Amino acid sequence: MCFPCQMSRTLHLVKHGQPHILSGVPAHEWQLAEGALGGLPGLISRLRPRPEVVVSSEEPKAVSTAQALATELGVPHRRMLGLHEQLRYTVPLYPEPADFQAALDRFFDHPAQVMFGEESADDARRRFANAVGAVMSRQTGDSVAIVAHGTVISLLVAHAGDLDPKPLWRHLNLLDVLTLEWPALQLREPLS
């Protein structure tokens, strides 16, 4: 909710770069793939206004993306608990992308139930929203970037804008950004 006494700020929700996918290693432990940050200049050009701080989840792929982004911008990088991806410790590596997509569709279609991994969509969204709120309370600058993960970013933005999270999740590429007004969580630009 936007409160009249609060000035609007900018929140950039950035999806991490391409991970190096390893079978038998949980996704939350994946590192970035070689060349994963080649698109960083293009991402930076979309961050308007430029963030004064970059905050990330503690997952290695998000930390590495955030560190590189913060270095290029010349701003501090901080880590924050609660910004991690939806809990998927027991989710196997799907050999076919269509199988992974079908599992995620069930997850999005039944947000109150644990359908995929160990956390429901509603629980993941609430946890991520609380962490984002904590970041924005602590970081008082006009523009903040949070490097996180596609599913939780999509859940938060879809819920705030009364959107379907599935197309939003499909739209959000690796090393991509959704820029919002804070605290209203309103997208600055419509999705193309």
Side-chain angles (χ1 to χ4, degrees), residues 19-172:
H20 178 70
I21 298 169
L22 290 172
S23 181
V25 176
H28 66 272
E29 294 179 13
W30 291 345
Q31 305 287 328
L32 287 180
E34 187 174 329
L37 299 177
L40 202 55
L43 171 66
I44 290 171
S45 72
R46 296 175 58 203
L47 299 178
R48 298 284 179 246
R50 288 213 169 178
E52 298 161 39
V53 64
V54 178
V55 181
S56 72
S57 90
E58 295 194 314
E59 292 189 32
K61 56 190 172 273
V63 170
S64 295
T65 301
Q67 287 172 334
L69 178 59
T71 297
E72 287 297 313
L73 293 170
V75 301
H77 165 240
R78 309 268 188 269
R79 297 179 191 196
M80 176 69 179
L81 292 171
L83 295 174
H84 55 276
E85 182 59 285
Q86 179 256 347
L87 296 177
R88 308 181 176 163
Y89 296 106
T90 59
V91 172
L93 183 62
Y94 287 88
E96 297 297 325
D99 295 336
F100 178 72
Q101 183 62 58
L104 266 178
D105 284 350
R106 286 189 300 277
F107 167 79
F108 287 127
D109 289 341
H110 304 280
Q113 299 173 12
V114 177
M115 301 295 297
F116 179 73
E118 296 76 40
E119 190 176 33
S120 73
D122 285 346
D123 288 341
R125 177 189 47 78
R126 281 190 290 267
R127 183 246 316 141
F128 184 69
N130 287 336
V132 169
V135 167
M136 296 304 286
S137 292
R138 180 155 164 77
Q139 306 299 328
T140 58
D142 290 336
S143 182
V144 174
I146 294 177
V147 178
H149 309 275
T151 306
V152 288
I153 290 172
S154 298
L155 288 168
L156 177 67
V157 173
H159 185 264
D162 199 26
L163 304 169
D164 180 351
K166 286 189 284 189
L168 186 58
W169 181 84
R170 289 183 187 107
H171 170 84
L172 190 60

Side-chain angles (χ1 to χ4, degrees), residues 9-11 13 157 178-182 185-188:
R9 297 162 61 204
T10 300
L11 171 59
L13 293 176
V157 173
L178 294 177
T179 298
L180 303 107
E181 296 287 334
W182 179 267
L185 288 176
Q186 180 179 358
L187 282 166
R188 283 253 172 103

